[in-house]
Amino acid sequence: MTDYGSFPGARPRRLRTTPVMRRMVAETRLHPADLILPAFVREGISEPVAISAMPGVYQHTLDTLRKAAVEAVAAGVSGIMLFGVPEDAKKDAAGTAGTDPDGILQVALRAVREEVGDDLVVMSDLCLDEFTDHGHCGVLDAEGRVDNDATLERYAEMAQVQADAGAHVVGPSGMMDGQVGVIRDALDGIGREDVSILAYTVKYASAFFGPFREAVGSSLQGDRKTYQQDYANTRESLRELALDLAEGADMVMVKPAGPYLDILAKVAESSDVPVAAYQISGEYAMVEAAAEKGWIDREQAILESLTGIKRAGAQMILTYWATEAAQNLSRQ
């Protein structure tokens, strides 16, 4: 009698014979609605500015940002995460441009909401690094260290201003202790219980952020290792998750995505709120650079990397390929 639990009775290749067969039995399905587009808007430019380390990605004007938002809606993308790039002269030690109601990020939020309304979930990066002259994610103390609790006061103000400007979701990315709870209290204090918090729960001090520094015109000197996580650690990530959930996070995120699929899987297994992952600038740049040299199939590499992130447990993926990938998925 044939043993169907082993070869030759067991032939898994039977379920790989045709494209339609493979599609039918696929365990993970990537959909345009899974995707969120990060976008940069820069003050004081009349034409979009190419980001050299991220081919195909630009610092937008308000007009081209509106267009990108409309294209994302048409492609079926669920959200857009906005990052503001102020004029250098407006940067200062406290990042006051980040809480100015007429600062570039708030102006951009209003413009996108005016353009697409609720057809796109409009998200806002809640951090000071783009707006400080020292490039850190918080205010500094007298010895030049990032002052956690003083920074929280700035984050509370920033959350309120972003909510007033139209953000559906705020994304505190600075990795300050207690940031989610302080922001929740600040939002609730002005009657904005409707605004969600996407907590940057796991954000590693990663070399893969390199191209992002160009994208936001970062003024950073040194590194962020005293507040972003050590990439050697796992338990620390789950502790951060427990704290963010206890403080009221509506969604949680792992960043970067690709190098940390093991962490993403653990967070997804432990979280009772939706889980996002951010495929960051360095991940994007590596694929684009290899594809430019003809070393990999660009479209297939994009699809494979995004599917891997979803397979690991992400329900939402922030990726600079969001609109393009959504368009390609819709054609399949």
Side-chain angles (χ1 to χ4, degrees), residues 179-180 199-202 239-249 252:
Q179 62 185 14
V180 172
Y200 282 59
T201 293
V202 183
R239 185 183 184 201
E240 291 278 6
L241 172 65
L243 290 167
D244 283 352
L245 293 175
E247 290 175 29
V252 296

Side-chain angles (χ1 to χ4, degrees), residues 18 30 92-93 183 199-200 224 226 279 330:
T18 68
L30 192 65
D92 60 25
I183 290 167
Y200 282 59
R224 299 185 171 121
T226 64
Q279 186 181 54
S330 296

Side-chain angles (χ1 to χ4, degrees), residues 18-156:
T18 68
V20 175
M21 176 70 81
R22 293 190 294 273
R23 184 183 68 188
M24 183 180 73
V25 302
E27 297 174 38
T28 303
R29 298 187 189 278
L30 192 65
H31 189 275
D34 301 329
L35 306 178
I36 297 166
L37 176 69
F40 307 100
V41 57
R42 178 173 168 181
E43 190 172 27
I45 59 174
S46 57
E47 298 290 337
V49 176
I51 300 168
S52 63
M54 301 173 68
V57 180
Y58 297 85
Q59 294 172 328
H60 285 288
T61 67
L62 287 172
D63 286 341
T64 61
L65 178 64
R66 286 173 177 266
K67 181 181 178 182
V70 170
E71 290 175 346
V73 171
V77 170
S78 286
I80 187 168
M81 173 68 80
L82 300 185
F83 296 85
V85 184
E87 295 175 332
D88 284 343
K90 294 185 178 179
K91 296 182 180 182
D92 60 25
T96 54
T99 50
D100 180 352
D102 295 319
I104 182 60
L105 184 51
Q106 283 65 253
V107 171
L109 285 165
R110 289 193 291 270
V112 172
R113 282 300 302 274
E114 180 182 293
E115 191 69 37
V116 301
D118 294 334
D119 291 342
L120 203 60
V121 178
V122 179
M123 305 179 172
S124 185
D125 178 58
L126 199 164
C127 196
L128 292 173
D129 60 321
E130 296 100 315
F131 305 101
T132 54
D133 54 13
H134 48 72
H136 279 287
C137 296
V139 295
L140 306 183
D141 64 17
E143 298 183 15
R145 300 170 300 190
V146 175
D147 186 326
N148 190 94
D149 295 3
T151 297
L152 294 182
E153 295 180 17
R154 300 288 296 123
Y155 285 3

Side-chain angles (χ1 to χ4, degrees), residues 86-309:
E87 295 175 332
D88 284 343
K90 294 185 178 179
K91 296 182 180 182
D92 60 25
T96 54
T99 50
D100 180 352
D102 295 319
I104 182 60
L105 184 51
Q106 283 65 253
V107 171
L109 285 165
R110 289 193 291 270
V112 172
R113 282 300 302 274
E114 180 182 293
E115 191 69 37
V116 301
D118 294 334
D119 291 342
L120 203 60
V121 178
V122 179
M123 305 179 172
S124 185
D125 178 58
L126 199 164
C127 196
L128 292 173
D129 60 321
E130 296 100 315
F131 305 101
T132 54
D133 54 13
H134 48 72
H136 279 287
C137 296
V139 295
L140 306 183
D141 64 17
E143 298 183 15
R145 300 170 300 190
V146 175
D147 186 326
N148 190 94
D149 295 3
T151 297
L152 294 182
E153 295 180 17
R154 300 288 296 123
Y155 285 3
E157 183 181 356
M158 201 172 194
Q160 293 174 337
V161 172
Q162 291 180 355
D164 286 342
H168 293 106
V169 177
V170 295
S173 59
M175 293 300 292
M176 296 297 123
D177 294 339
Q179 62 185 14
V180 172
V182 167
I183 290 167
R184 184 72 271 157
D185 287 346
L187 291 169
D188 292 354
I190 60 168
R192 296 309 306 270
E193 295 88 352
D194 58 319
V195 175
S196 301
I197 298 175
L198 170 58
Y200 282 59
T201 293
V202 183
K203 185 178 181 182
Y204 286 103
S206 172
F208 293 100
F209 287 124
F212 181 87
R213 307 276 158 78
E214 177 191 349
V216 297
S218 175
S219 303
L220 180 66
Q221 300 295 320
D223 59 50
R224 299 185 171 121
K225 292 182 179 179
T226 64
Y227 45 101
Q228 293 179 354
Q229 288 178 230
D230 182 346
Y231 56 74
N233 294 347
T234 298
R235 285 193 301 271
E236 183 180 30
S237 302
L238 298 178
R239 185 183 184 201
E240 291 278 6
L241 172 65
L243 290 167
D244 283 352
L245 293 175
E247 290 175 29
D250 299 289
M251 299 168 277
V252 296
M253 181 156 65
V254 174
K255 180 179 183 182
Y260 301 101
L261 296 181
D262 60 325
I263 304 300
L264 174 57
K266 290 179 182 294
V267 168
E269 184 178 352
S270 302
S271 176
D272 60 358
V273 301
V275 176
Y278 196 145
Q279 186 181 54
I280 68 169
S281 59
E283 298 175 72
Y284 176 95
M286 288 191 299
V287 171
E288 291 289 349
E292 183 181 358
K293 289 183 174 293
W295 292 342
I296 59 174
D297 181 317
R298 178 181 177 277
E299 187 172 323
Q300 288 301 311
I302 292 169
L303 178 62
E304 182 177 339
S305 64
L306 291 172
T307 302
I309 294 167

